[in-house]
Every structure is written in structure tokens, then in C-alpha cells.
Amino acid sequence: MTDPLTGTPTDTPTDRDITMTDAFPAAFARTVLGSGPGLLLAHGAGGGIEANYGPLLEGLAARHTVVGVDYPGSGRTPAAPRPLELDELADQLVAAADAEGLGTFALCGYSLGGPVAIRAAVRHPGRVTALVLSAAFARPDTRTDLAAAIWQRLYESGQHVLLAQYLAHLTVSAPVLNTLTPAQVRGAAEQTAPALPAGTGAQVDLVRRVDVRADLGALTVPTLVVVTAADPLIPAALQHELAAAVPGARTAELATGHLPFLERPQRWLELITGFLGEEEHRH
């Protein structure tokens, strides 16, 4: 998801430029850094690898070869001429791992990246060593669908400053949001609005169509579900529902809203690297 307070940087020195075709891109632009066991990153709707994982990238790359792709309309990946499909996002993520020579890898999915990671694990069995799903969902409930519908409508109608204010309300935990004045939120929204990714509408549309509940029972890899406990967008109950359906999944609670990279990036990093380190040590 887009960071409503700091904006969405879309240009990073770690981006790999990909040659695009006139049709739907043959490959998504990817970010690659670090060395060690493979770790694929899947980002949220209206976000990107830098926007959603920026504060964690250096820490994740300390012990891993980190590979992430930006969905169509995020970062350097051109917007798609047709609706997005979960299978395509999952396959493009694995294709990026192939291009970097990674035979196996852990998968880290944030928000919409959760179902992307789940689908990748089901479609490419034997490749995935572990899953970390943060602020994730198997399907949107009515409240989340309503929030996403308004998000999509505000974006497509061009009301981007209003949307950025709405996203602050929708994604930041109440204690953090209440440290700001309404004027400060408005000012931050005016800065954020021009940086909203061009693919926001299509990505949020996919959020509304996601349903990976039938995939969950097929997951056989060690899985950690990081529950953003004060999340106004993806309620903790929906995240626990996901965890309960994954065989043997562990859960960890993070006292943040929907933006752990904004509210508690260091603790989020510790949960991810701690879990991955344990699983790598076992093998």
C-alpha cells in the first residue's frame, strides 16, 4: 500500500531496467540486492518494493539475495492494458527469481503481496522454502471491499489529495494518526498525491477479486503470519482467519496499523529475519 505520510518513491538505484514489449510486459522491473539464500518480496496494492519494504531492504539483504518485482503501474513497470490476474503476478515474481539464478527461495508477501506469495507457493511447489505473510488476507471481507471500492473510485476520479487523506485514515493506526494535526495530514496528503502509482486502480481492483482460501490447505512450507494488530484496512480477525487455515502456521502480532514499514520497521524486520533464520538453521 502507498505510504500516506511519506509518499511513494518509485526510482531506486537497485532497480533493474527491463526491456518492455508493446504488449503486456514480458517481465516486470525488478529490484535485486544482497547475497545468500533467496528471498522474494511481493508488495501491496498502490505500493511498490521501495515504498513497502524500503526501510527493511538493507537488513533483509544482509543475509539474503533479495528479489522483488513492481506490479504493472508501480516503479518502472508500465501500467497494464488489461485487468491484473493473481497468477500472472505470482509467475512474474518467480520468473524474476529464475532470472537471478535462484533455484529455491523464501517468500515475503505484504498486504496484496500475501495472496500473491500464497499463489506463487502453490503454483511452484518445491521452490519455496518458507512463507512470511504480513498484513495479509485470503479474501476481502465486506468492510475491506467497501474501503477498496472507495479507494479505487477516488483514484480513478482524479481526487488524489482526498484519496491520500483517506489512505491515512484507512492505513495508519489511531495512536500514530492522532499525533498529527488535521492540517499536517492535509499537508502530507498534498505531498503524497502526485506520487500515487499509475497502477493503483488496477491493483486495488485485484484486491477486491482475490480469494485464495482454496490454496491455503495446500501450503506445506513453514509459514509465519505477521498480524498488524491495529490495522484499520485489513482487520486482525481477517489475518487470523488466514493463519488458522494454513497448516502449522505460526503467528506474531505487530502493534501497528497497515503500514509496519512506517510505524515499526525495525520490529517488522526482526520478526521476518528471526523466522527465516530459524528455518534456515533447521536445514
Side-chain angles (χ1 to χ4, degrees):
M1 305 293 170
T2 300
D3 181 337
L5 299 184
T6 61
T8 305
T10 59
D11 206 26
T12 82
T14 54
D15 281 354
R16 296 276 176 97
D17 288 318
I18 303 298
T19 301
M20 301 295 172
T21 63
D22 291 333
F24 198 54
F28 295 173
R30 64 184 181 270
T31 298
V32 184
L33 64 165
S35 61
L39 174 59
L40 305 192
L41 304 181
H43 69 76
I49 294 301
E50 177 64 29
N52 294 162
Y53 292 103
L56 281 68
L57 288 176
E58 189 177 323
L60 293 174
R63 294 187 179 180
H64 294 90
T65 300
V66 176
V67 178
V69 297
D70 287 315
Y71 308 150
S74 286
R76 295 182 183 175
T77 305
R82 52 183 169 79
L84 300 181
E85 295 298 338
L86 200 62
D87 287 357
E88 186 149 36
L89 299 188
D91 289 351
Q92 286 277 5
L93 187 57
V94 174
D98 292 341
E100 297 300 327
L102 297 176
T104 60
F105 41 77
L107 270 168
C108 189
Y110 161 73
S111 194
L112 173 62
V116 171
I118 289 164
R119 184 58 57 83
V122 169
R123 285 173 67 81
H124 302 273
R127 304 287 301 276
V128 180
T129 57
L131 273 174
V132 181
L133 307 171
S134 303
F137 56 98
R139 49 99 197 180
D141 60 11
T142 301
R143 187 177 178 282
T144 298
D145 177 74
L146 178 61
I150 296 168
W151 182 358
Q152 185 178 1
R153 182 67 182 269
L154 286 174
Y155 182 81
E156 292 173 349
S157 68
Q159 299 179 75
H160 293 179
V161 174
L162 181 59
L163 171 57
Q165 290 175 283
Y166 177 61
L167 286 174
H169 172 69
L170 199 61
T171 60
V172 181
S173 68
V176 171
L177 191 58
N178 285 330
T179 64
L180 304 174
T181 66
Q184 286 173 319
V185 173
R186 167 81 189 195
E190 289 171 350
Q191 288 184 306
T192 301
L196 294 172
T200 293
Q203 293 172 23
V204 176
D205 172 66
L206 180 58
V207 168
R208 301 184 64 195
R209 293 184 284 115
V210 158
D211 190 342
V212 295
R213 286 176 289 181
D215 294 336
L216 301 180
L219 295 174
T220 58
V221 297
T223 301
L224 173 67
V225 177
V226 178
V227 177
T228 41
D231 195 328
L233 177 60
I234 307 297
L238 204 55
Q239 300 180 53
H240 282 293
E241 177 187 288
L242 165 62
V246 177
R250 291 162 56 180
T251 59
E253 294 222 346
L254 193 55
T256 72
H258 194 67
L259 310 177
F261 49 86
L262 174 73
E263 295 190 24
R264 296 196 66 191
Q266 187 58 37
R267 181 58 185 147
W268 189 29
L269 174 65
E270 289 167 0
L271 289 173
I272 295 169
T273 56
F275 176 73
L276 294 178
E278 280 181 35
E279 293 308 320
E280 287 157 11
H281 184 70
R282 281 183 192 162
H283 299 286

